[in-house]
């Protein structure tokens, strides 16, 4: 199976490396505006193949995406200067995506598009709009969403209660960002609620403990960026997992972000929710029985994304 990655910066390259380590796919093609960077990353990763899984890693152009089952989009530009607003930056990235997505679909019309560029909810929404103009169904376009945030949540809860995080079940939903919602009311371990598990094991899990975990999940990226400049191992691994689920039709439930007609009363918005993912993309989306407080937070999170989309549309209209 062939995987394309458009944008071979730290996120794209690390995703490719994680796929090699995990043995995902058979061939990976790195495409980047900076062809020298793409070639260097492909060579470096390919040299790790003898220590991991037998994959082909190549750099290429859009035409080399022919036959890709999945194309991960991690391309984008950074802030041009301190005077550029977030909306202006989003506008520039929107223009880039309007060029990138048709080029991808020209050569890989049947590919599933997985967006990793931040702000991922906004960029996924825009990608789905452009892809729809080329006849691509919504089920084949989604973003990494809160896949990594959910992993962080499960990891920290598992550490606190002394259980392997694979056996902690809970989701982070909404925006991949400050307004994301940790669904504490739904967390379970061994089929029982978190509260019951903690009582049974004599573990303290009070408001202070939950607030600390919430803060560490919500602010993880800020903490990592402060220390090393950017995050890439976590998201690279998340993207490798998403690719694995698609290639092997594993029917896994992942908190990817995708366009929804209605989320908590907010219309036409893209946020992360639990989705059943298979070989053809999104199979189903699952509404959650949230607490009143969590439902309110989800409404605020979805409303924030919708307001940014509205402002972005105005910015683009003004630029045109």
């Amino acid at each position: 199976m062939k995987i394309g990655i458009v944008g071979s910066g730290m996120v794209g390259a690390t995703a490719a490396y994680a796929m090699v380590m995990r043995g995902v796919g058979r061939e990976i093609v790195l495409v980047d505006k900076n062809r020298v960077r793409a070639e260097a990353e492909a060579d470096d990763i390919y040299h790790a193949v003898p220590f991991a899984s037998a994959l082909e890693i190549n750099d290429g152009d859009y035409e080399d995406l022919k036959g890709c089952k999945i194309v991960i989009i991690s391309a984008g530009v950074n802030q041009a200067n301190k005077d550029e607003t977030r909306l202006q930056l989003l506008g520039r990235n929107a223009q880039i995506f309007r060029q990138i997505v048709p080029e991808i679909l020209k050569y890989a019309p049947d590919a599933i598009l997985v967006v990793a560029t931040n702000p991922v909810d906004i960029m996924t929404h825009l990608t789905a709009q452009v892809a729809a103009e080329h006849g691509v169904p919504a089920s084949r376009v989604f973003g990494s969403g809160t896949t990594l945030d959910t992993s962080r949540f499960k990891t920290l809860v598992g550490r606190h209660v002394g259980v392997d995080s694979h056996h902690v079940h809970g989701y982070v939903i909404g925006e991949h960002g400050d307004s994301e919602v940790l669904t504490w009311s739904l967390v379970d371990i061994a089929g029982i609620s978190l509260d019951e598990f903690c009582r049974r094991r004599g573990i303290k899990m009070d408001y202070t403990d939950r607030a600390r975990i919430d803060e560490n999940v919500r602010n993880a990226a800020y903490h990592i960026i402060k220390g090393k400049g950017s995050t890439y191992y976590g998201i690279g691994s998340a993207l490798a997992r998403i690719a694995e689920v698609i290639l092997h039709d594993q029917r896994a439930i992942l908190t990817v972000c995708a366009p929804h007609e209605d989320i908590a009363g907010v219309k036409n918005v893209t946020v992360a929710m639990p989705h059943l993912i298979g070989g053809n993309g999104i199979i189903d989306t699952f509404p959650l029985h949230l607490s009143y407080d969590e439902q309110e937070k989800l409404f605020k999170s979805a409303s924030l994304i919708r307001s940014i989309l509205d402002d972005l549309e105005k910015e683009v209209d003004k630029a045109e």
Side-chain angles (χ1 to χ4, degrees):
M1 286 292 196
K2 188 175 178 181
I3 301 167
I5 300 177
V6 178
S8 56
M10 291 305 299
V11 170
T14 305
Y17 177 74
M19 290 175 200
V20 170
M21 293 297 107
R22 206 176 170 95
V24 178
R26 182 66 187 87
E27 179 183 358
I28 299 172
V29 179
L30 298 180
V31 176
D32 197 281
K33 183 179 180 180
N34 183 348
R35 186 64 180 265
V36 174
R37 172 68 182 267
E39 182 180 2
E41 293 289 3
D43 285 348
D44 196 13
I45 296 168
Y46 193 49
H47 298 161
V49 165
F51 307 110
S53 303
L55 274 75
E56 283 290 326
I57 314 293
N58 298 295
D59 64 290
D61 209 335
Y62 288 104
E63 62 185 23
D64 298 301
L65 297 175
K66 288 178 181 177
C68 281
K69 173 72 173 178
I70 307 161
V71 176
I72 293 170
I73 308 176
S74 56
V77 294
N78 297 320
Q79 190 174 26
N81 55 63
K82 63 182 180 63
D83 295 321
E84 183 176 45
T85 67
R86 185 187 188 206
L87 273 179
Q88 288 170 334
L89 175 60
L90 273 172
R92 287 203 296 134
N93 271 323
Q95 290 297 330
I96 290 171
F97 268 53
R98 288 189 181 97
Q99 297 169 8
I100 286 176
V101 175
E103 282 296 301
I104 293 171
L105 295 175
K106 180 179 178 181
Y107 297 103
D110 299 321
I112 293 171
L113 305 183
V114 179
V115 181
T117 302
N118 278 321
V120 70
D121 307 285
I122 306 296
M123 302 314 297
T124 300
H125 193 90
L126 297 174
T127 301
Q129 287 181 333
V130 177
E133 295 170 1
H134 291 76
V136 178
S139 60
R140 279 176 35 210
V141 183
F142 52 90
S144 53
T146 56
T147 307
L148 176 55
D149 310 81
T150 293
S151 174
R152 289 166 173 162
F153 186 30
K154 294 169 61 176
T155 297
L156 293 178
V157 170
R159 177 182 290 174
H160 184 87
V161 300
V163 171
D164 178 355
S165 59
H166 288 85
H167 304 292
V168 178
H169 303 287
Y171 304 111
V172 177
I173 59 175
E175 177 200 15
H176 170 58
D178 295 343
S179 71
E180 63 190 23
V181 183
L182 279 66
T183 59
W184 284 103
S185 68
L186 301 178
V187 178
D188 75 80
I189 302 170
I192 60 178
S193 70
L194 177 62
D195 288 340
E196 183 180 349
F197 183 88
C198 288
R199 282 195 299 271
R200 181 180 181 86
R201 297 284 299 143
I203 298 168
K204 181 178 78 70
M205 175 66 89
D206 58 18
Y207 174 80
T208 302
D209 297 313
R210 293 190 182 205
R212 174 179 50 79
I213 290 173
D214 186 292
E215 180 180 359
N216 287 339
V217 171
R218 199 177 303 276
N219 297 318
Y222 297 126
H223 174 72
I224 294 168
I225 291 169
K226 182 180 178 181
K228 57 182 278 188
S230 61
T231 66
Y232 38 87
Y233 292 128
I235 186 59
S237 298
L239 292 167
R241 173 60 180 148
I242 292 170
E244 180 181 47
V245 167
I246 295 168
L247 291 184
H248 297 292
D249 192 23
Q250 289 183 347
R251 307 298 179 98
I253 297 174
L254 302 172
T255 51
V256 298
C257 63
H260 295 273
E261 292 183 4
D262 187 302
I263 290 291
V266 181
K267 307 296 183 183
N268 186 25
V269 68
T270 295
V271 293
M273 294 292 289
H275 295 85
L276 180 62
I277 307 295
N280 294 316
I282 295 176
I283 300 170
D284 202 354
T285 306
F286 302 106
L288 299 175
H289 297 291
L290 304 172
S291 67
Y292 177 81
D293 180 59
E294 290 165 349
Q295 189 71 22
E296 285 294 299
K297 289 178 179 177
L298 180 58
F299 169 76
K300 292 178 180 177
S301 185
S303 296
L304 173 64
I305 295 299
R306 187 60 256 176
S307 68
I308 295 172
L309 288 168
D310 290 340
D311 290 342
L312 180 58
E313 288 171 5
K314 294 175 185 176
E315 183 74 23
V316 171
D317 289 341
K318 186 170 62 176
E320 294 176 348

